[in-house]
Amino acid sequence: AQTVTQSQPEMSVQEAETVTLSCTYDTSENNYYLFWYKQPPSRQMILVIRQEAYKQQNATENRFSVNFQKAAKSFSLKISDSQLGDTAMYFCAFRIMDSNYQLIWGAGTKLIIKP
Amino acid sequence: EAGVAQSPRYKIIEKRQSVAFWCNPISGHATLYWYQQILGQGPKLLIQFQNNGVVDDSQLPKDRFSAERLKGVDSTLKIQPAKLEDSAVYLCASSLYGTGWYEQYFGPGTRLTVT
């Protein structure tokens, strides 16, 4: 069975600092997708960034980037120049490619950006 | 484009009562998901529809939960009778297709409190 583990329940950093959220997963599949979703307080869940497992190049979206280590089954999220609006729950999720299998979600990391 | 709409936003009921939630997905999205999110946890998939057919309802407690998606557009999720442990946020999401890569768009959720 596939599992996703986020080992940091809560993190806090000062505004403008860089922060890395960790995520590890377990699967016997070779082709899959990985996602980071953000859930701000009292606001809707939104997609931050996604990565295809067959691509070696790490995905980037503006201040957000990932460090994808397929052999280690690790998918960490780096937020550069953190902003107050980055305060949110961050969820790592995994899904097998080309299937209707459900997204497997981690338990989340609560990130607090301090002014 | 309009986002995923959900109603009501909040609901308080007593145990053993019934409750229904409504979701209208983004226009043209074939796949609709209902999730249960307990405080401090990641979302748990209850049911996934592809158009008006059920793709996955393996984690839906069918003795008390039911869902339908008539005409492949909006959907309702019902709980009857409710238990204390059903207190959670119920999230509706939609995606263009149900396979791996496609981003899920989430509604604001319905916060259910069972007393």
Side-chain angles (χ1 to χ4, degrees), chain B residues 8 12 14 17-18 29-31 48 70-74 89 91 93-94 98 100 102:
Chain B
I12 300 174
E14 295 181 350
Q17 287 186 326
S18 63
H29 280 195
T31 310
Q48 177 182 339
L70 299 176
K71 301 180 182 178
V73 181
D74 55 354
V89 175
L91 299 171
S94 70
Y102 291 94

Side-chain angles (χ1 to χ4, degrees), chain B:
Chain B
E1 63 182 3
V4 177
Q6 288 188 249
S7 67
R9 292 294 309 277
Y10 305 91
K11 191 74 177 178
I12 300 174
I13 61 172
E14 295 181 350
K15 59 183 179 183
R16 290 187 291 275
Q17 287 186 326
S18 63
V19 64
F21 312 126
W22 175 82
C23 172
N24 190 280
I26 291 173
S27 178
H29 280 195
T31 310
L32 185 147
Y33 311 81
W34 281 104
Y35 288 96
Q36 180 192 60
Q37 187 178 23
I38 292 173
L39 187 64
Q41 298 182 17
K44 169 189 167 185
L45 181 71
L46 293 175
I47 190 166
Q48 177 182 339
F49 292 96
Q50 182 75 16
N51 297 308
N52 60 353
V54 175
V55 173
D56 185 349
D57 64 356
S58 57
Q59 298 188 96
L60 186 74
K62 297 180 185 64
D63 57 335
R64 299 185 300 106
F65 286 65
S66 65
E68 61 181 8
R69 189 184 185 196
L70 299 176
K71 301 180 182 178
V73 181
D74 55 354
S75 175
T76 55
L77 175 70
K78 297 178 182 177
I79 307 175
Q80 182 180 12
K83 293 184 175 181
L84 294 177
E85 58 261 34
D86 298 332
S87 293
V89 175
Y90 290 84
L91 299 171
C92 180
S94 70
S95 63
L96 193 58
Y97 298 109
T99 54
W101 177 248
Y102 291 94
E103 175 181 356
Q104 295 187 19
Y105 294 82
F106 286 80
T110 296
R111 184 176 298 276
L112 174 67
T113 302
V114 182
T115 62

Side-chain angles (χ1 to χ4, degrees), chain A residues 33 35 37 39 42 44-47 50-52 89 91 95-103 105-108, chain B residues 4 33 35 37 40-43 45 48 50 55-56 58-59 91 98-104 106-108:
Chain A
Y33 301 106
F35 304 83
Y37 278 85
Q39 189 175 38
S42 302
Q44 288 154 247
M45 184 100 72
I46 58 172
L47 178 67
R50 54 188 162 182
Q51 172 85 37
E52 297 128 306
M89 285 291 293
F91 293 96
R95 194 175 195 176
I96 298 170
M97 185 181 290
D98 294 333
S99 74
N100 276 320
Y101 289 152
Q102 60 178 283
L103 266 177
W105 295 81
Chain B
V4 177
Y33 311 81
Y35 288 96
Q37 187 178 23
Q41 298 182 17
L45 181 71
Q48 177 182 339
Q50 182 75 16
V55 173
D56 185 349
S58 57
Q59 298 188 96
L91 299 171
T99 54
W101 177 248
Y102 291 94
E103 175 181 356
Q104 295 187 19
F106 286 80

